Amino acid sequence: MERHRDHIDYAKYKDLGLPMGSGMVESACKWLIQQRFKGVGMRWSATGFNHLLHLRLAWVNGSFEALFQVQLQPSPNT
């Protein structure tokens, strides 16, 4: 712990107005993940969950449309 004492200066972080608990992160996870992926009867494989999670994050971040934009370029064979 001595090597990381500067990382646990709670008074400093409180003075900066930073949150001290994990409640905000836990709430965000509940809203972002549990609400969508833990519905009644829902079951996901790890691979399927990861694919859908990327789509969910893109939707929430406002970058969903960018995932599907295809730039049309002339074929080099024509």
Side-chain angles (χ1 to χ4, degrees), residues 16-73:
L16 291 172
L18 297 173
M20 300 305 297
S22 62
M24 288 175 52
V25 173
E26 291 175 26
S27 178
C29 287
K30 183 175 183 178
W31 175 79
L32 185 67
I33 297 170
Q34 290 181 3
Q35 190 178 57
R36 173 61 182 93
F37 294 105
K38 288 191 172 183
V40 175
M42 290 184 174
R43 302 290 179 265
W44 305 99
S45 67
T47 302
F49 172 79
N50 284 325
H51 289 302
L52 289 172
L53 181 59
H54 282 90
L55 293 174
R56 173 80 168 146
L57 293 173
W59 181 264
V60 170
N61 290 333
S63 61
F64 188 79
E65 297 296 329
L67 291 174
F68 298 101
Q69 288 181 353
V70 177
Q71 297 203 1
L72 300 176
Q73 297 176 357

